Amino acid sequence: MKAENFGMSRLLGTSALVATLMITAVPMASAQDTTAAMQQVSISAGNLRAALDQVADQFGLQLIVQGDLSGLDSAAISAELSAADALGRLLAGSGYQFEFVTNDSVRIAPVPTQSMGDNGAMVLPDVVVSATRSRRSIKSMSPSVVVIGRDQIETQMAKSSDITNVIRNTVPGFMFDDQSLISSTETFRGRDVQVLVDGVSRNTPLRNSSRILSMIDIAQVDSIEVIPGSNAMNGDGATGATINIITRTGEVGNNSFVVDGHMTSYTDDIGDSFSPSLTLSGSGGVGAVDLAASVTASKTGNAYDGYGNQVPSDAMLGQGGFDNAEDLNLFGKAGVTVADGHRLFLSTEIVRFRQDIEYNVDLTTHPVSVDYDNPYTAQPLEDESQYFTAGYEYDFGKIGTGDLKLFYNDSYKQAARADYHSSYNPALVALTNNGSVEDPLGQSVIDTVKYGVKLSTDTSLDAAYDGLTLTWGGDLTFDDVKYRTISGRDIGAPMKQDGRAVFAQLSAPVTRFVDLSGGVRYEKYDLTVKDFLRPNYMRYNAGAGQAILAAAQYTGGNTTYSAVTYNASAVVHWTDRFDTSLSYSEGFSVPDVGAYTRRAGLSGVPMNFSALDVEASKVKTYELAARYNGQDFRTTGAVYMSTNERGDNFDAATNSLSQEKERILGAELTGEYDITDDTYVGALASYVEGRYDTNKDGDLDSPLPNNRIPSPFRFTGYVDSYVWGDLNMRLDGTYTAARNEIKTAKIKPSLVFNLMGNYPVLGGTARFGIENILGTSYENPAATALRGYAVAGHGRSITIGFRREF
């Protein structure tokens, strides 16, 4: 049994002290007071944003960045210059310009016209995407691929520090937030999402822990890569999309320290909902060593819905939420350049999250509500996870450039106690010696360890064809999953899985108008499911405990399964402004075996693993996409179809694996239009619908369940403007359409508006955000779809924050 009685406040204090010492170990550069005086400026060639930050630090400037500088580089500078001269040299040819708003405040923004090249065409930044295992230019990939830069992330942090909100407001196809810790409804194009952090998967396929993106601190994020569609280049799980979180890396000569704090309250009860958060971060380097670190500590109060009622802390039956919680996240990364083109690095992330639930949820009301007559007396919900990655980045000339990563992920995810309900939670773990008494330590825990090695190399084949690149490598992964109660009793079979994979990908420009790419990956898994004693279960009948299922022995077994997946794409550059792509990709996922073994013996579920037909579900995605970058107008669009012969879902209604034929069709559209140099409007729209074969006769006879597609249509519109000089304001609204495909479980539509703003002041940036500014009462479509009962969406909340970089 894991120790539970430590003091969370003591943990927060001790960890914060350690993290502060880590951060202050990063060398700080002293800022100068004057911008007009000539100073010696020495900047190495490299990342443009990092160079601008270095100039800002040296001259004591506050930068206001409009646009996204990710992927842009600058030339080296070594001269005696003024601040204006230094900025002018760095931005030359980048498509961006600067303007002094005040004596110490500078706005960086796109130039009024986007025609930069000699032929009148826009010079696009060469953004590089790494989630494909190769370092490919985004220009050579489907227009549906999106890279969200740090500047975009910081702008949206005025409203929310949740990564899912940033992605959802930037990329179509990602479903509405269920406003809880669980990630089961975080579907993309109606399918699962694979989440990577620096290329290392956070998914736990053998028993879905359902808390991934919600536990990643946005303070450590440098950029986010989103690749829609099925993809197997990083293993199983990416049937709907791959999301790669790129963490921050220190840069020698660009030393900084950042203090970032904010507080949030719901307007229905400002005091009880008061939620403060503080982040300390730093980055920089000395000599050959680069360093980056951050620590974020937060505490949250009650949450309220649009009806003005307190939101249940555990409306999702054991999965928990963000309210009444304490959260601590520590991140650190250190690297050393041992030779030109060769770098060693080590990164770590430690998560400590605890939610102290006050009351159980009342599922009999519509929507569900807080049951103030039923206090929560069980153990808290907790997440104690640590992630370590060590790597070697290399350049071996003709052999190629790439990286070798060793990773170790250890996560302990403790669920809350879900109160008994005859329909939604009809069985509770009983004491071993008394089958009619509930085990007070019967809450479930998913304890997983995942470790392995990932190798990726880009080898130039220019000798065979100019620009031809072979990307090759392989993976070794090891999963160890324990599904237990807090007291240490197995409630699902302990499992171990070994995976081996190799892949190869060819890409090349065919003339300057066409980019081609294609590859193959082979993956093989050996799964061992161990024997275990499935515990006895009880229920409550008129308030009295009653034994319903005796303990029984479950017989495990072994199986081997494999998957071969292919991908191919062609990107055509019709003009310097207009591109199209046609792509085919395959991804796969494995069944949630842990959910199946937990229910062994219920409703006819066999007690023997040999009765379970485990097979990887291969998903094929066909996509046609287009992108246009005009002088004042930018747009992307995509239509797609994804199919699979076997699903990989566990059907809780029948306690069985659901591996039927499926087909999903959809379309996505984005657009932005510059009204003036300081104001633009934009929109995201997505449509998705799917069907599957319920009786396995070959016909797609039924719509996919709501937990896969909560809403068939989502539209987000926004306007972004600089007003009164340097106050940046953004208003957005999101509409999710009703889904009536499941006649017995219809999902209602919703419409929510939000407002946020950023303003430079006191050498930093003040920000504010208002979510659900109209206080609209609505049912959250994603949360309602998951369990089948109505869950109200959150009401109006206000966030006020301040960020200062030193």
Side-chain angles (χ1 to χ4, degrees):
M1 176 179 173
K2 203 155 188 171
E4 306 294 341
N5 295 323
F6 61 86
M8 188 65 176
S9 297
R10 182 178 179 183
L11 173 64
L12 287 169
T14 303
S15 301
L17 176 60
V18 173
T20 302
L21 292 175
M22 289 173 59
I23 294 169
T24 54
V26 179
M28 299 295 116
S30 59
Q32 304 298 317
D33 295 330
T34 177
T35 62
M38 305 289 285
Q39 297 186 37
Q40 181 64 34
V41 179
S42 298
I43 300 175
S44 301
N47 181 267
L48 174 60
R49 179 58 197 264
L52 291 170
D53 288 339
Q54 188 173 341
V55 169
D57 184 52
Q58 181 171 342
F59 286 91
L61 301 174
Q62 171 65 30
L63 296 182
I64 308 165
V65 179
Q66 180 181 1
D68 186 11
L69 301 179
S70 60
L72 291 175
D73 291 328
S74 64
I77 296 178
S78 182
E80 190 170 306
L81 302 169
S82 66
D85 292 336
L87 291 170
R89 289 199 184 188
L90 290 176
L91 294 173
S94 68
Y96 283 78
Q97 65 183 7
F98 72 93
E99 175 189 3
F100 277 88
V101 180
T102 64
N103 289 335
D104 61 355
S105 180
V106 179
R107 180 194 301 172
I108 309 294
V111 294
T113 175
Q114 296 180 359
S115 300
M116 294 291 118
D118 295 335
N119 60 352
M122 177 182 177
V123 179
L124 293 172
D126 190 16
V127 179
V128 175
V129 180
S130 61
T132 57
R133 302 296 291 268
S134 62
R135 292 184 57 79
R136 291 178 59 190
S137 168
I138 197 171
K139 300 176 188 176
S140 67
M141 303 177 70
S142 167
S144 63
V145 175
V146 177
V147 176
I148 307 171
R150 183 63 196 179
D151 296 310
Q152 293 171 285
I153 294 171
E154 289 184 358
T155 297
Q156 296 199 41
M157 283 175 63
K159 181 183 66 174
S160 172
S161 57
D162 186 356
I163 289 179
T164 57
N165 273 292
V166 174
I167 299 173
R168 190 168 290 105
N169 291 330
T170 310
V171 186
F174 200 29
M175 189 37 61
F176 194 87
D177 185 8
D178 62 20
Q179 298 171 332
S180 74
L181 297 177
I182 192 172
S183 58
S184 298
T185 57
E186 289 174 357
T187 59
F188 204 110
R189 294 182 172 181
R191 298 191 182 273
D192 292 336
V193 175
Q194 183 186 47
V195 178
L196 313 173
V197 176
D198 292 329
V200 175
S201 176
R202 289 285 174 91
N203 296 61
T204 54
L206 291 177
R207 184 62 187 111
N208 187 4
S209 59
S210 298
R211 301 180 208 156
I212 304 177
L213 286 171
S214 60
M215 292 289 106
I216 299 175
D217 180 20
I218 201 169
Q220 72 191 42
V221 179
D222 183 68
S223 63
I224 303 172
E225 302 171 349
V226 182
I227 302 179
S230 52
N231 188 298
M233 279 298 137
N234 290 283
D236 64 291
T239 56
T242 301
I243 297 176
N244 189 26
I245 309 294
I246 307 297
T247 61
R248 311 192 76 169
T249 299
E251 184 174 348
V252 176
N254 181 27
N255 306 307
S256 65
F257 177 73
V258 176
V259 178
D260 192 342
H262 69 263
M263 57 191 71
T264 301
S265 284
Y266 288 82
T267 56
D268 289 292
D269 193 327
I270 294 176
D272 285 346
S273 65
F274 181 70
S275 304
S277 178
L278 177 64
T279 296
L280 306 176
S281 62
S283 64
V286 177
V289 178
D290 57 85
L291 300 167
S294 68
V295 55
T296 297
S298 62
K299 184 177 177 63
T300 57
N302 294 336
Y304 293 86
D305 61 28
Y307 301 93
N309 301 317
Q310 183 179 343
V311 172
S313 295
D314 185 32
M316 310 301 281
L317 292 181
Q319 299 300 330
F322 294 102
D323 62 294
N324 294 295
E326 293 177 322
D327 188 12
L328 176 70
N329 188 292
L330 294 92
F331 164 77
K333 182 189 288 187
V336 56
T337 301
V338 294
D340 188 25
H342 298 267
R343 175 177 175 266
L344 299 172
F345 70 89
L346 175 66
S347 67
T348 180
E349 180 185 359
I350 298 174
V351 177
R352 295 292 183 267
F353 180 91
R354 170 172 172 156
Q355 184 187 29
D356 289 301
I357 299 170
E358 295 181 285
Y359 300 97
N360 286 295
V361 59
D362 185 351
L363 299 179
T364 65
T365 62
H366 187 97
V368 297
S369 59
V370 177
D371 189 350
Y372 293 103
D373 295 325
N374 188 7
Y376 182 88
T377 58
Q379 299 295 311
L381 178 145
E382 291 186 350
D383 194 305
E384 298 180 23
S385 302
Q386 36 275 329
Y387 308 94
F388 304 93
T389 302
Y392 170 43
E393 299 170 350
Y394 52 81
D395 183 350
F396 287 120
K398 292 184 178 181
I399 295 177
T401 61
D403 58 65
L404 176 69
K405 295 175 182 175
L406 291 79
F407 65 91
Y408 181 87
N409 299 344
D410 183 0
S411 63
Y412 176 92
K413 297 180 183 293
Q414 177 175 304
R417 175 192 177 273
D419 213 5
Y420 173 81
H421 190 280
S422 59
S423 298
Y424 302 110
N425 194 34
L428 303 174
V429 178
L431 290 175
T432 55
N433 57 357
N434 191 335
S436 63
V437 177
E438 181 183 354
D439 186 346
L441 298 176
Q443 293 166 232
S444 65
V445 171
I446 301 176
D447 196 348
T448 66
V449 172
K450 185 183 184 78
Y451 57 96
V453 181
K454 295 169 68 76
L455 172 69
S456 304
T457 303
D458 289 327
T459 300
S460 174
L461 301 180
D462 284 341
Y465 184 86
D466 188 28
L468 181 63
T469 300
L470 171 66
T471 301
W472 55 273
D475 301 334
L476 293 175
T477 58
F478 305 90
D479 288 271
D480 189 343
V481 180
K482 296 180 177 64
Y483 191 22
R484 297 174 169 173
T485 65
I486 294 177
S487 58
R489 299 166 61 190
D490 288 326
I491 55 177
M495 295 173 287
K496 289 188 176 181
Q497 180 172 271
D498 302 338
R500 303 170 295 282
V502 292
F503 70 90
Q505 184 88 12
L506 282 171
S507 58
V510 181
T511 75
R512 68 187 184 92
F513 298 104
V514 180
D515 286 296
L516 298 179
S517 178
V520 59
R521 178 183 173 100
Y522 172 74
E523 193 119 12
K524 183 178 181 180
Y525 290 102
D526 293 322
L527 172 63
T528 299
V529 178
K530 297 182 179 180
D531 299 344
F532 82 106
L533 182 66
R534 196 224 55 223
N536 48 341
Y537 285 88
M538 57 83 63
R539 69 177 180 181
Y540 287 102
N541 187 0
Q546 182 181 76
I548 58 172
L549 199 65
Q553 186 66 41
Y554 181 88
T555 303
N558 300 281
T559 189
T560 297
Y561 53 98
S562 60
V564 180
T565 53
Y566 303 90
N567 70 84
S569 68
V571 179
V572 181
H573 311 287
W574 298 96
T575 70
D576 291 320
R577 298 180 183 273
F578 181 60
D579 304 316
T580 61
S581 73
L582 179 64
S583 62
Y584 169 80
S585 60
E586 297 179 347
F588 70 97
S589 57
V590 298
D592 191 341
V593 180
Y596 179 87
T597 61
R598 177 175 187 178
R599 293 166 174 82
L602 294 172
S603 301
V605 179
M607 293 295 297
N608 194 314
F609 176 71
S610 62
L612 174 62
D613 181 19
V614 176
E615 185 174 329
S617 172
K618 182 186 291 187
V619 175
K620 302 176 181 180
T621 300
Y622 309 83
E623 181 192 83
L624 175 64
R627 170 178 50 221
Y628 175 75
N629 282 288
Q631 181 171 336
D632 299 314
F633 178 65
R634 302 164 294 281
T635 185
T636 64
V639 292
Y640 62 87
M641 178 178 70
S642 64
T643 65
N644 56 287
E645 295 299 318
R646 295 173 63 93
D648 64 348
N649 295 312
F650 179 82
D651 186 348
T654 60
N655 287 315
S656 62
L657 282 174
S658 173
Q659 294 202 279
E660 300 96 351
K661 182 179 180 180
E662 299 175 348
R663 183 184 65 205
I664 296 177
L665 301 172
E668 297 164 357
L669 183 67
T670 72
E672 283 188 346
Y673 175 70
D674 298 327
I675 298 176
T676 67
D677 293 345
D678 294 328
T679 302
Y680 63 93
V681 295
L684 312 171
S686 64
Y687 169 81
V688 59
E689 194 53 85
R691 301 182 68 82
Y692 72 127
D693 177 16
T694 57
N695 55 13
K696 299 186 179 180
D697 64 353
D699 294 328
L700 301 172
D701 54 88
S702 297
L704 284 171
N706 289 336
N707 65 341
R708 291 281 298 279
I709 303 177
S711 171
F713 177 72
R714 181 173 71 91
F715 177 85
T716 298
Y718 55 90
V719 56
D720 191 296
S721 180
Y722 277 84
V723 297
W724 303 326
D726 48 8
L727 172 61
N728 177 236
M729 299 280 288
R730 182 186 177 102
L731 173 69
D732 66 63
T734 297
Y735 169 76
T736 58
R739 189 169 195 244
N740 300 314
E741 297 293 325
I742 313 297
K743 302 302 180 184
T744 58
K746 296 182 179 181
I747 303 296
K748 296 180 180 180
S750 65
L751 177 61
V752 179
F753 292 94
N754 310 289
L755 179 68
M756 57 186 174
N758 294 273
Y759 183 73
V761 63
L762 300 177
T765 301
R767 60 177 184 260
F768 71 91
I770 307 176
E771 291 198 85
N772 194 357
I773 56 178
L774 301 180
T776 303
S777 56
Y778 67 99
E779 292 180 11
N780 183 299
T784 300
L786 182 63
R787 300 295 189 193
Y789 47 77
V791 178
H794 286 197
R796 184 190 301 109
S797 64
I798 299 177
T799 298
I800 299 175
F802 181 75
R803 181 182 186 275
R804 175 70 189 271
E805 182 174 346
F806 300 90

